[in-house]
DNA sequence: AAGATGAACAACCGCCATGTG
DNA sequence: TCACATGGCGGTTGTTCATCT
């Protein structure tokens, strides 16, 4: 795989060294990356970025893949169990987000980090005597009552089993990455992965 | 209805660890 | 042993969207 990437890299014209793109990923870029990884696998991200014809850094490709495009990634709808687990693990390990993420199948360190900063840290700052259990309860209440942009309908149907469930089948994933995307990304990764399955790819 | 404000999230940056020649 | 490339991680910033006034 790595060898293949290297081989392909050598075949790439060096004139492709155009300026590196930054900012939000487009649907086309996502498709290219997904297709490339589906065919060649992950690894050697800098080579991958070049070989796939993406004017992105390897880092950027890696981040996009790990945090967003991977078939087993779940986003949104942090369950109460997951929230409790995050709080517990953070109390134990501190800001070791990747380590914490490993205990939450389908969750990324970036997502957990964001979740902590926006939802939980806020509470820690507010209350001088912070109580994890209380924070969980109040957060659950606020998210299910308010119409937050990420917790609309699905948040009502909390899914306790997720915290223990290793998600390996893309079809089993809850819907995400669709309605709340920017116009460029108005599509679903699950759609793509189900297409891949359908095509036997 | 329009502007202000805050929340949520995607993505980038910089640093460090590790692998390789 | 050293230098360089790459990957991984945590921190931070920028953008978008929803809510409030």
């Amino acid at each position: 795989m790595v060898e293949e990437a290297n081989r392909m890299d050598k075949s790439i014209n060096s004139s492709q060294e155009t300026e590196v793109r930054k900012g939000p990923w487009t649907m086309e870029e996502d498709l290219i990356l997904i297709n490339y990884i589906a065919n060649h696998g992950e690894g050697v991200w800098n080579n991958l970025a070049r070989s796939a014809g993406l004017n992105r850094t390897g880092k950027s490709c890696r981040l996009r893949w790990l945090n967003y495009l991977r078939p087993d990634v779940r986003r949104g709808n942090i369950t109460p169990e997951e929230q409790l687990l995050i709080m517990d693990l953070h109390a134990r390990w501190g800001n070791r987000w990747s380590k914490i993420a490993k205990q939450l199948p389908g969750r990324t360190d970036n997502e957990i980090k964001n979740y902590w900063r926006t939802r939980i840290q806020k509470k820690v700052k507010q209350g001088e005597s912070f109580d994890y259990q209380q924070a969980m309860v109040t957060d659950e209440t606020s998210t299910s009552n308010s119409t937050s942009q990420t917790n609309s309908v699905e948040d009502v149907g909390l899914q306790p089993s997720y915290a223990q469930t290793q998600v390996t089948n893309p079809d089993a994933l809850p819907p995400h990455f669709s309605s709340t995307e920017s116009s460029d990304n108005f599509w679903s990764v699950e759609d793509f992965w189900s297409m891949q399955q359908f095509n036997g790819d």
Side-chain angles (χ1 to χ4, degrees):
Chain A
M1 191 280 295
V2 174
E3 295 79 8
E4 192 173 36
N6 284 329
R7 252 184 289 121
M8 290 190 68
D9 179 48
K10 282 167 189 158
S11 69
I12 298 292
N13 191 332
S14 61
S15 69
Q16 267 194 326
E17 295 249 295
T18 54
E19 64 183 274
V20 177
R21 261 183 59 80
K22 288 184 182 178
W25 281 64
T26 64
M27 187 183 78
E28 286 76 19
E29 288 176 310
D30 282 345
L31 283 172
I32 290 169
L33 183 58
I34 290 171
N35 255 321
Y36 189 89
I37 292 176
N39 289 325
H40 302 93
E42 306 175 36
V44 196
W45 292 101
N46 281 332
N47 284 342
L48 187 153
R50 282 194 295 266
S51 302
L54 291 163
N55 292 328
R56 296 274 182 173
T57 64
K59 268 189 171 187
S60 181
C61 292
R62 175 183 162 271
L63 210 62
R64 182 66 176 175
W65 173 253
L66 292 179
N67 288 335
Y68 211 78
L69 299 176
R70 254 185 352 181
D72 61 339
V73 71
R74 290 193 294 127
R75 298 185 312 118
N77 301 318
I78 298 279
T79 67
E81 286 77 12
E82 286 175 315
Q83 188 176 14
L84 200 57
L85 190 56
I86 291 169
M87 290 171 171
D88 178 40
L89 295 177
H90 185 269
R92 255 190 280 174
W93 296 333
N95 295 355
R96 305 295 306 277
W97 304 117
S98 60
K99 194 173 178 181
I100 294 172
K102 288 190 178 81
Q103 307 303 313
L104 291 128
R107 299 296 184 188
T108 68
D109 55 351
N110 204 37
E111 185 184 16
I112 293 172
K113 180 172 58 181
N114 279 329
Y115 183 78
W116 177 267
R117 295 182 72 85
T118 57
R119 314 275 183 89
I120 301 176
Q121 197 174 55
K122 188 173 56 184
K123 291 184 171 59
V124 176
K125 280 181 181 171
Q126 281 170 356
E128 62 268 19
S129 60
F130 178 68
D131 181 349
Y132 280 148
Q133 293 282 344
Q134 184 59 33
M136 191 200 84
V137 170
T138 52
D139 189 73
E140 185 185 345
T141 309
S142 64
T143 50
S144 56
N145 283 344
S146 68
T147 50
S148 160
Q149 58 186 16
T150 53
N151 311 314
S152 52
V153 178
E154 296 167 12
D155 210 50
V156 180
L158 299 165
Q159 297 148 339
S161 61
Y162 273 0
Q164 289 83 32
T165 306
Q166 176 74 47
V167 179
T168 53
N169 179 6
D171 289 342
L173 295 169
H176 66 257
F177 194 87
S178 53
S179 57
T180 58
E181 291 304 310
S182 67
S183 55
D184 269 352
N185 290 341
F186 195 74
W187 65 298
S188 162
V189 170
E190 282 89 67
D191 291 346
F192 178 84
W193 286 109
S194 56
M195 274 192 286
Q196 291 283 310
Q197 286 198 326
F198 185 75
N199 294 333
D201 224 1

